[in-house]
Amino acid sequence: VTARLVPLRGIAHHDSKFLESLVKSASATKLYHVFENEVVVSLIKFKWESYVKNMFRKHMFLDFAMVASLTLDALLHRSVLDLEVTEKNPFVKALGYVPMCATLSLWVFFVTHEYKQYKTNITESRHGFMGAFRSHVSDIWNLLDCLSLGSIFVTYGLRGTEALFGSANVLQGDGVSSYTLSTSAMAVALPFAYINTLYYMQGSPTSGELVRMIVGIIVGVKDFIIILGVCMIGFTASFFILFERNTNFDGIQHRSPLMSILYSWTVMLAGFTPDEIEGSTNFFIAALLFVAFTYSINIVMLNLLI
């Protein structure tokens, strides 16, 4: 039996650890009925109205502003790099840097906030620097914060590097070569930034329940994802060697292992035509593998989730 001391003196004060201790104790024992207690409900409501609500709304507004400025920056950045446009209209170039500056200013605010949280974890942790880090990122929202802020840092770091070495105007080619590395980094940063804003939906009783359900599902299926990934990689390797070197097949889906993984993903979603099997090195083995793949993924794996 583990005894857990809950501090009661000054429990309504803004820096009281009462609710934090209560949450930790409830999480450790898996007993959450304590939050149905009238005293606890009243205390949570008082703390929310007195201390938390205004700060929560402030952070929500600033986070939405950062995501909006990041999005605008992503949309305007190509115009800023286009020499023909900026030479004709310098105002466009000047305007294009406004959302970038706004994003960086808000980024500094949120990085400072994360640093303060992490510093508090180090002070309270008994396991040192790495223990505090593991404790911090064990919360999925802190992890999303780190990924979002980190990807934004990488994006603007790459932009600075491209500008410093004169490679910012890599817009002369066609296709993939017409984009800079910072554009690819921005493409990664945007989803993280948008998904991270779902945190603020937890402030509503209705939407908060949905967000918590999504988080619970993501955490709950992590073992399933590992099993699915192992099966997909195994079948992907088979598809790749069966289709890669056949001259009678265009090989578009299997010109690289990565494309084979994407092909397996589309097969899992029923994006497949039987004629494609004829382009394999061995029709019988390819057909057998296709049947085994669809049975394992679409039938067996689906039943694991039920």
Side-chain angles (χ1 to χ4, degrees):
V1 177
T2 303
R4 296 183 179 275
L5 179 64
V6 179
L8 296 177
R9 181 177 296 178
I11 60 175
H13 198 262
H14 72 277
D15 59 353
S16 170
K17 302 293 184 181
F18 173 75
L19 289 178
E20 181 181 344
S21 301
L22 202 62
V23 169
K24 289 181 178 179
S25 299
S27 300
T29 59
K30 304 297 182 183
L31 299 174
Y32 302 99
H33 61 274
V34 66
F35 295 104
E36 299 175 4
N37 183 279
E38 292 183 8
V39 176
V40 176
V41 171
S42 299
L43 179 61
I44 292 174
K45 185 176 180 180
F46 172 78
K47 286 250 191 177
W48 169 258
E49 295 292 338
S50 302
Y51 307 118
V52 180
K53 184 168 68 174
N54 290 336
M55 184 181 298
F56 181 85
R57 289 179 175 175
K58 172 187 173 183
H59 280 242
M60 179 177 66
F61 172 78
L62 293 177
D63 204 354
F64 286 169
M66 184 177 72
V67 172
S69 61
L70 182 68
T71 305
L72 188 60
D73 182 36
L75 297 175
L76 292 178
H77 183 59
R78 188 182 179 95
S79 298
V80 172
L81 294 180
D82 193 334
L83 292 176
E84 294 183 2
V85 174
T86 54
E87 286 178 356
K88 293 179 180 178
N89 191 351
F91 177 74
V92 174
K93 185 173 184 177
L95 185 64
Y97 286 112
V98 171
M100 181 178 69
C101 295
T103 303
L104 286 173
S105 300
L106 293 167
W107 178 85
V108 170
F109 170 82
F110 283 107
V111 167
T112 304
H113 176 72
E114 284 295 314
Y115 172 74
K116 290 178 180 179
Q117 279 190 316
Y118 183 58
K119 189 176 179 180
T120 302
N121 287 340
I122 293 177
T123 304
E124 298 178 353
S125 176
R126 299 178 180 177
H127 305 287
F129 178 84
M130 291 305 299
F133 177 76
R134 285 193 294 268
S135 174
H136 187 72
V137 298
S138 62
D139 181 273
I140 191 169
W141 296 111
N142 286 337
L143 179 61
L144 273 174
D145 276 335
C146 293
L147 291 173
S148 175
L149 295 173
S151 57
I152 292 173
F153 173 78
V154 171
T155 298
Y156 289 115
L158 287 172
R159 278 196 190 177
T161 303
E162 291 162 357
L164 182 64
F165 291 99
S167 57
N169 297 315
V170 191
L171 292 171
Q172 313 304 323
D174 297 321
V176 178
S177 62
S178 66
Y179 292 94
T180 60
L181 286 174
S182 62
T183 304
S184 301
M186 177 67 81
V188 175
L190 282 169
F192 282 134
Y194 272 89
I195 293 172
N196 197 35
T197 59
L198 294 179
Y199 169 82
Y200 301 101
M201 294 183 68
Q202 296 181 107
S204 168
T206 52
S207 61
E209 184 177 353
L210 294 175
V211 172
R212 286 188 291 273
M213 286 176 62
I214 293 172
V215 173
I217 291 171
I218 293 173
V219 174
V221 300
K222 60 182 179 182
D223 294 331
F224 169 80
I225 295 300
I226 294 174
I227 297 171
L228 177 64
V230 169
C231 293
M232 283 196 63
I233 291 173
F235 280 103
T236 294
S238 299
F239 289 141
F240 179 69
I241 62 175
L242 280 174
F243 287 92
E244 181 196 19
R245 299 184 181 279
N246 196 307
T247 56
N248 296 324
F249 183 61
D250 57 17
I252 294 175
Q253 293 93 337
H254 304 276
R255 61 175 177 261
S256 69
L258 180 59
M259 291 302 296
S260 289
I261 293 175
L262 294 176
Y263 172 76
S264 298
W265 183 263
T266 59
V267 171
M268 183 179 69
L269 301 176
F272 174 84
T273 56
D275 294 340
E276 294 177 8
I277 298 179
E278 297 179 356
S280 66
T281 304
N282 188 307
F283 176 84
F284 176 76
I285 294 178
L288 188 64
L289 283 171
F290 171 74
V291 173
F293 178 77
T294 53
Y295 173 77
S296 301
I297 302 298
N298 296 343
I299 298 178
V300 177
M301 295 294 177
L302 184 62
N303 276 277
L304 280 178
L305 292 176
I306 297 176

